[in-house]
Amino acid sequence: MEIDASKTVGEILRDYPELTDWFMELGLCGCGHDSSMMWSIETLAKEKNRDLATLLDEINKKID
């Protein structure tokens, strides 16, 4: 299943818990904070000043 921009951080980490460390290493996850867990990948990219297409590509490569 491919991750799209509407998926939330919480949904991704629930389905792919092995990505937790990767999100944290990149400074992309306030995994202990409820608000950022509810952010979509699109919102996360905007808030963290990351290119959305690149971020989605990186995530999808990690789960492939």
Side-chain angles (χ1 to χ4, degrees), residues 2 4-6 8 12 14-15 17-19 21 26-27 31 36 40 42 44-46 50 54 56 59 62-63:
E2 188 168 293
D4 64 38
S6 67
T8 67
I12 293 169
R14 179 196 66 218
D15 296 341
E18 66 275 13
L19 293 182
D21 289 341
L26 294 176
C31 297
S36 60
S40 67
E42 182 176 20
L44 179 69
K46 286 178 188 174
R50 298 283 305 248
T54 301
L56 284 169
I59 293 168
K62 292 277 185 194
I63 64 169

Side-chain angles (χ1 to χ4, degrees), residues 4-9 28 35-50 52 55-56:
D4 64 38
S6 67
K7 277 281 198 194
T8 67
V9 172
L28 295 179
S35 62
S36 60
M37 292 291 283
M38 298 304 296
W39 284 355
S40 67
I41 293 302
E42 182 176 20
T43 300
L44 179 69
K46 286 178 188 174
E47 290 290 324
K48 299 295 184 173
N49 206 24
R50 298 283 305 248
L52 177 59
L55 182 58
L56 284 169

